Amino acid sequence: MHIPDGFLDTRTWVGASAVSTAVVGYALRRTRETLGERQVPTLGVLAAFVFAAQMVNFPIVGGTSGHLIGGVLAAILAGPSAATIIMTTVLSVQALFFQDGGITALGANVLNMGVIAVFAGYGAYRLLSALVPGRAGRLTATFAASWLSVMASALAAALELALSRTVPLTVVLPAVLYWHALIGLGEALITSAVVAYAFRVNLVPALQVAPPPKEVVE
Amino acid sequence: MTGESFRSWRKPLLVLLAALAVAVFLAPLASPNPDGLDRVARDLGFAAREGRLHRAPLPGYTIPGLSLGRWTPAAAGLLGALLTCGLAWGVAALATRRKAQDPEPGHPRR
C-alpha cells in the first residue's frame, strides 16, 4: 500500500501533502486537548506495535501479499486523532529510514493510511457498534470497519495514481480494489483478534487517550 | 517506584514487549511476495516509474554491513520499532508539555 517516489505527479503529491498536513495539525491540536501525561507512553508503544505489525506481510492468493495498515486498530485503542499521529510517525520512519514508501509520496501515504483509513474506519466502527450493542457488536464492527478502512485507503491510492496520469482510473481501480478486498480480510482478522484481546485484558481504558465515547461504554 | 506508577506503566510496557516480539519473531516470517499495490504496478506496467530520491540508512529493512540471514528483518524491525516508539513518545510528550504551559495567565506562549 506504500506508494513509492515516481508514481505520483507533483500536483498530486503536493495536494495530498497539503491535506495531510492540515489533518495532522488538527489531530495534534485534538490530542493536545485530550492527552494526559499518563497516556504519553501509549502513543509510543502503539506506534511501535503498528510499525512491527506492518512488517509482517501475509500471503494472499496468486503470489501476492498484504500487511496490516493498523489505522482502525490504533483508532479503537487510542482514539482517532491519536491514531493519525501514530500512523504519521510510523509512515515517516518507514520512508526516511527504511525506504518503504516515497519521500514525495509521504503526504499521500499519510493521507491514505493515517487519515482516510483512520477516520473512515473509525467512523464505520462507531456507527456499527452503536447499531449492534455489546461484545458481539463491537467485534462485528471492528471486523467490518477494518475491511472498509483498507478499501477506502486503496480507493484513495487508486485516485491519486489516476490523478497523476500514471494509469487510467478505469484500469487501476478494479485491480487495486480486487487485491485489497482480499488484503482487507487479513486486516479485519488481525484487528479483530487484537481488539478482542485488548478489551479482554482491559488494555483499552488503560491506553485510551480520549475519554471513551458514551455510546461504546458498556 | 510506587504501586500506582507501576500499574500505569505495566500495560504500555506489555504492548511494547508485544511489538518487539512481533518484530523479532514474526517479521522474519513475512511473505516476500509483492504487496497489493506492487502487484498492480507490475501487472499494469508502471512499476518501472519507481524512483529513489534519497538513500535510506536501512533500505528495505536490511542493515548495510550486517548479515544475519533470515534474522535480518528481526534486527531491522527491532531498531525500527524502538525508533518509532521514541519518536511517537516524543511527539506526545511535546504536546502535553505545551498544554501544561497553556493555562498560565499573562505568560505568552513561547
Side-chain angles (χ1 to χ4, degrees):
Chain A
M1 179 67 80
H2 294 59
I3 301 174
D5 285 318
F7 280 15
L8 302 180
D9 68 357
T10 308
R11 195 185 49 148
T12 304
W13 70 253
V14 169
S17 303
V19 178
S20 291
T21 306
V23 181
V24 171
Y26 164 80
L28 276 172
R29 282 197 302 280
R30 284 279 306 149
T31 308
R32 192 173 302 158
E33 287 162 17
T34 50
L35 193 74
E37 215 164 283
R38 274 190 56 227
Q39 288 110 11
V40 167
T42 294
L43 267 77
V45 299
L46 282 179
F49 188 84
V50 170
F51 176 90
Q54 284 205 4
M55 285 185 75
V56 188
N57 280 59
F58 46 83
I60 54 170
V61 295
T64 305
S65 73
H67 63 72
L68 185 82
I69 294 176
V72 171
L73 178 67
I76 293 175
L77 296 186
S81 293
T84 290
I85 292 166
I86 288 167
M87 298 305 294
T88 304
T89 310
V90 170
L91 291 162
S92 303
V93 169
Q94 287 169 333
L96 292 170
F97 293 92
F98 296 94
Q99 210 110 40
D100 192 7
I103 294 292
T104 56
L106 179 58
N109 286 323
V110 167
L111 182 62
N112 302 344
M113 288 179 268
V115 174
I116 290 170
V118 166
F119 283 91
Y122 190 68
Y125 170 77
R126 286 288 306 279
L127 196 73
L128 293 170
S129 55
L131 287 177
V132 191
R135 211 166 66 96
R138 186 167 62 224
L139 274 186
T140 314
T142 304
F143 193 92
S146 307
W147 184 83
L148 271 172
S149 76
V150 175
M151 293 303 272
S153 196
L155 172 69
L159 286 172
E160 288 150 12
L161 290 168
L163 276 173
S164 301
R165 299 197 181 86
T166 300
V167 58
L169 186 65
T170 49
V171 177
V172 74
L173 189 61
V176 163
L177 290 185
Y178 168 73
W179 290 113
H180 287 91
L182 300 172
I183 293 169
L185 293 178
E187 177 97 17
L189 284 172
I190 296 168
T191 306
S192 304
V194 175
V195 166
Y197 181 76
F199 272 90
R200 198 156 62 85
V201 298
N202 290 322
L203 259 181
V204 172
L207 294 175
Q208 200 91 30
V209 170
K214 284 195 177 64
E215 293 87 341
V216 184
V217 174
E218 284 158 29
Chain B
M1 190 183 270
T2 66
E4 174 65 31
S5 73
F6 177 71
R7 267 198 297 280
S8 68
W9 280 89
R10 199 170 57 101
K11 279 173 179 168
L13 191 65
L14 286 176
V15 177
L16 180 62
L17 289 177
L20 300 183
V22 169
V24 171
F25 297 110
L26 296 184
L29 303 175
S31 165
N33 291 337
D35 77 3
L37 188 63
D38 290 337
R39 173 62 190 262
V40 170
R42 289 182 196 191
D43 287 352
L44 301 183
F46 61 91
R49 283 177 181 246
E50 180 171 346
R52 278 188 184 175
L53 292 178
H54 81 304
R55 274 205 76 79
L58 306 165
Y61 303 94
T62 59
I63 303 177
L66 180 75
S67 182
L68 298 171
R70 60 175 308 164
W71 291 97
T72 302
L78 200 64
L79 282 176
L82 289 172
L83 185 66
T84 308
C85 181
L87 205 61
W89 192 311
V91 169
L94 221 61
T96 48
R97 188 175 309 155
R98 262 189 242 170
K99 188 173 68 173
Q101 290 172 355
D102 281 344
E104 292 178 48
H107 291 277
R109 222 186 289 170
R110 264 170 291 176

